[in-house]
Amino acid sequence: MRALFAKGAHESSVLRRLDARTKLGITALTAVLAVCTGGVVAQGVLFVVTLGYVLLLRRPALLACLYALMAVMLLAALGCTALLSQFMPALSGFSVKALVIPFLRGASMMNVVMALALTTRVEDLLSTLERLRLPYAVFLPAAVMLRFIPTFAADIRQVWETLRIRGWPMGPKMLTRHPLLSARLLLIPVLFRALKSSESLGIAAELKGLGTAERTVPASFRTLTSLDARILAGAVTTTLCVTLAEVFLHDLFMAGAVVMMP
């Protein structure tokens, strides 16, 4: 189970050669920029850069599924808002900022978190967080959440393949024509698999020495390479570009762009 994170990315992905400190720094910087900027151009620049970053995973099918899921969630939110607008007329209009900015923020964070989760081993992540002198209550939940992402993806793939072996024609046609049946077939097994995986993660954390005075897994100390330096330089350049776009182009695509709900 130690290599579960590393199996999430293609073997030749350059992200696997990045230090965990570099990927954590990029994730934290993206979170700050996503929260502190509110312009469409600034968020667009951040999204484009993080998209190029996550494409280094060389997992286009996985990314396509994730973006399709985000689009479905956005459409569901719009549908719920349209329903509420029938009873609350104040919710009948949406600006570009209210529609686009949350999607870009979520997509940018998803890009960097997936790159971190699928290319970083647990012991590297824990040793990096411990070296930052973070409280135990902070770095342990963060490590477990990131550890759960590839485990959950593997559970979904296993349930999907099991249903196909048992004769269910799982695919886009099945999901479109029988959404309720597909949801029942997928969600219940995935729920129980997620509960089992969470229990396994807890046991694995205890075996690794979390919560004790001394770690059972020795921390590995690595020096930053030239690849880390280039990625960090790109992160600094991106921060400068996003900041300039936020200062000088904040109101671009904002004025008068209102979407009326039916």
Side-chain angles (χ1 to χ4, degrees):
M1 298 182 70
R2 291 176 56 185
L4 186 58
F5 268 43
K7 291 180 181 179
H10 195 276
E11 291 293 330
S12 60
S13 174
V14 298
L15 295 180
R16 294 187 59 187
R17 303 199 302 268
L18 286 178
D19 191 271
R21 290 168 292 180
T22 301
K23 288 178 279 191
L24 279 172
I26 291 175
T27 304
L29 180 61
T30 303
V32 172
L33 292 176
V35 172
C36 294
T37 56
V40 175
V41 177
Q43 289 290 337
V45 172
L46 183 62
F47 168 72
V48 170
V49 174
T50 56
L51 179 61
Y53 175 69
V54 76
L55 285 176
L56 297 177
L57 281 175
R58 305 183 66 178
R59 297 287 301 275
L62 174 62
L63 293 177
C65 291
L66 292 175
Y67 279 108
L69 180 61
M70 287 193 64
V72 169
M73 294 174 61
L74 179 61
L75 292 176
L78 290 176
C80 293
T81 305
L83 181 61
L84 290 175
S85 65
Q86 303 298 324
F87 306 97
M88 302 175 63
L91 298 176
S92 60
F94 274 106
S95 65
V96 170
K97 181 177 180 180
L99 290 173
V100 177
I101 298 301
F103 179 82
L104 292 178
R105 281 175 174 161
S108 298
M109 287 306 304
M110 181 188 70
N111 291 336
V112 294
V113 169
M114 292 304 297
L116 173 65
L118 297 179
T119 60
T120 310
R121 296 192 305 173
V122 179
E123 52 265 35
D124 295 335
L125 180 62
L126 289 176
S127 62
T128 301
L129 292 174
E130 286 180 337
R131 271 180 278 171
L132 294 176
R133 305 299 181 185
L134 295 176
Y136 177 79
V138 173
F139 75 79
L140 178 59
V144 171
M145 286 188 294
L146 291 173
R147 179 72 166 79
F148 185 74
I149 293 175
T151 306
F152 187 63
D155 290 340
I156 295 176
R157 183 168 56 252
Q158 184 179 13
V159 171
W160 184 276
E161 294 174 353
T162 301
L163 290 174
R164 292 182 64 89
I165 291 174
R166 293 187 175 185
W168 291 100
M170 302 304 297
K173 185 177 180 179
M174 176 73 173
L175 296 175
T176 303
R177 297 182 61 182
H178 306 285
L180 295 180
L181 177 60
S182 301
R184 182 174 64 85
L185 292 174
L186 287 171
L187 294 180
I188 295 177
V190 167
L191 174 61
F192 283 99
R193 288 292 306 173
L195 293 175
K196 182 64 176 178
S197 298
S198 62
E199 181 182 359
S200 300
L201 290 175
I203 296 174
E206 293 179 359
L207 293 177
K208 289 178 180 295
L210 295 182
T212 60
E214 184 177 354
R215 289 279 310 280
T216 59
V217 178
S220 58
F221 295 93
R222 294 177 51 188
T223 58
L224 298 181
T225 63
S226 59
L227 177 61
D228 293 287
R230 292 195 297 268
I231 294 296
L232 290 175
V236 173
T237 304
T238 301
T239 302
L240 179 61
C241 293
V242 171
T243 303
L244 293 176
E246 178 68 14
V247 172
F248 296 104
L249 303 175
H250 177 77
D251 296 328
L252 192 63
F253 303 118
M254 291 288 193
V258 178
V259 179
M260 300 302 298
M261 302 297 295

